Amino acid sequence: HVFWPGLLQAYSEWLPINEKTPQLSLNEGNTPLIYSNQLSEYTGMQVYLKYEGANPTGSFKDRGMVLAVAKAKEAGADTVICASTGNTSASAAAYAARAGMKAVIVIPDKYVALGKLAQAMMYGARIVAIRGNFDEALEIVRHLADEAGMTVVNSVNPFRLEGQQTAAFEICDALQKAPDILCVPVGNAGNISAYWKGFKTYHDHQRIHHLPRMLGFEAEGAAAIVQGHPIPNPETFATAIRIGNPASAHLAVQASQESHGGIFAVSDEEIRIAYRLIAREGIFAEPGSAASVAGLLQQTKIGNLEKGQTVVCVLTGNGLKDPNTAIELTASKPIVVENNTQEVLKALKGESV
Ligand code: F0G
């Protein structure tokens, strides 16, 4: 394509759309697949980062949301509703606005990163913040939607996963093969399931000739799948994946088993290290996203991965989403001096402050 038309057009033959489906688009998808020199060197593998922060609302959610909202409109709905740790709500609000629909979002109070909240407000969503966590918000949304006739656009909506397959398609199209390993953060467990479905779809149609191993990474304080039971009070600074009762846990387990991969836990400290590391190569992703890189580093360190393989780590959301965490975690704060060249020079030499 000379001009990228967005996912519903670019991947129309692979998606459940027809002539009645509205042509919704914010020109989402077609995100960069960036080769990481430092991660490749460290791991002895070919490591690429799928930079989903380049989507129109800054996360991978746009891939599923464009389809879910288009299908809701096609079915005659006028309002979409979702629970969210932030990115789903930003995306739902944007696509609802684009489609001329209303969005209602329910979020955990004080646990949504600032940029995401700003987005939902600007796109014009009705926002309710509960004194509770994401899992509780999703529970409420599922009840509310039934009663009020609104369409749920969380990843329990099957169109979300259908649309999110396009990330797997893009990776295969770019590499001209499937990677050997895919590393992805796991929260509500929709995305890992969508990737696996996407790879299997391409494999069934002989677009690729082998399937990747799927490695999913939960935050240690919210690792329900790893521990094998829901976590009532999930905790992690990576608020995007602060989820204790993943709705698609069964699909994630299936993806990891069928692909001979695994679901693992990464600590907040491992996530912090990865978050800062990739930024120092010029790639800014939000903390939840860095769980994929943290996982790759962890699995390499314990000797679980053979060298020479092609790996893709998915960076699910843009670093700008969560400026507070970035500023808290970095040492390179601005030095404030008087307005003159000598003072600036002294500051740079470390003589002032
Ligand atoms: N990374 C980011 C940046 C996310 O926002 C999410 C989920 C995930 C990873 C995990 O993906 O849920 O499909 O396993 N965010 C949801 C939200 C829950 O409400 O924005 P998952």
Side-chain angles (χ1 to χ4, degrees), residues 124-320:
R126 291 291 299 271
I127 308 169
V128 181
I130 62 162
R131 293 186 194 93
N133 61 36
F134 168 85
D135 305 289
E136 292 156 339
L138 184 55
E139 189 75 23
I140 291 170
V141 160
R142 289 171 116 162
H143 289 143
L144 249 183
D146 283 346
E147 283 171 28
M150 297 181 273
T151 305
V152 177
V153 292
N154 282 103
S155 55
V156 294
N157 177 326
F159 295 121
R160 281 278 313 279
L161 299 197
E162 293 280 347
Q164 283 172 217
Q165 290 183 94
T166 56
F169 300 161
E170 285 180 14
I171 289 170
C172 297
D173 291 346
L175 296 175
Q176 297 286 297
K177 62 171 185 179
D180 300 308
I181 295 171
L182 187 91
C183 294
V184 62
V186 173
N188 211 23
N191 205 30
I192 188 172
S193 313
Y195 266 98
W196 182 235
K197 187 169 158 58
F199 287 124
K200 283 199 298 187
T201 301
Y202 254 29
H203 192 254
D204 289 346
H205 290 81
Q206 274 113 48
R207 289 288 179 111
I208 52 173
H209 305 291
H210 78 275
L211 287 163
R213 291 174 61 206
M214 308 291 292
L215 304 186
F217 299 97
E218 297 185 293
E220 199 171 71
I225 299 175
V226 172
Q227 294 198 22
H229 56 80
I231 312 289
N233 296 305
E235 272 313 335
T236 169
F237 85 111
T239 52
I241 54 172
R242 184 175 170 271
I243 294 174
N245 191 11
S248 300
H250 56 293
L251 294 177
V253 169
Q254 194 186 327
S256 102
Q257 287 175 350
E258 285 180 5
S259 74
H260 310 288
I263 313 280
F264 306 94
V266 285
S267 68
D268 278 7
E269 187 53 23
E270 287 174 305
I271 297 174
R272 270 185 215 108
I273 289 167
Y275 174 61
R276 283 186 290 233
L277 187 74
I278 54 178
R280 301 307 289 266
E281 198 181 0
I283 299 160
F284 192 21
E286 66 170 287
S289 301
S292 61
V293 173
L296 171 65
L297 295 174
Q298 176 199 70
Q299 292 298 305
T300 302
K301 200 167 171 185
I302 60 183
N304 273 356
L305 306 176
E306 259 174 56
K307 289 187 194 299
Q309 305 185 84
T310 300
V311 185
V312 173
C313 292
V314 183
L315 296 179
T316 45
N318 198 304
L320 294 169

Side-chain angles (χ1 to χ4, degrees), residues 1-11 23-30 98:
H1 296 280
V2 178
F3 170 78
W4 180 258
L7 292 172
L8 300 192
Q9 273 192 56
Y11 287 103
Q23 279 289 353
L24 188 60
S25 174
L26 287 168
N27 307 74
E28 61 289 319
N30 196 24
R98 186 75 167 173

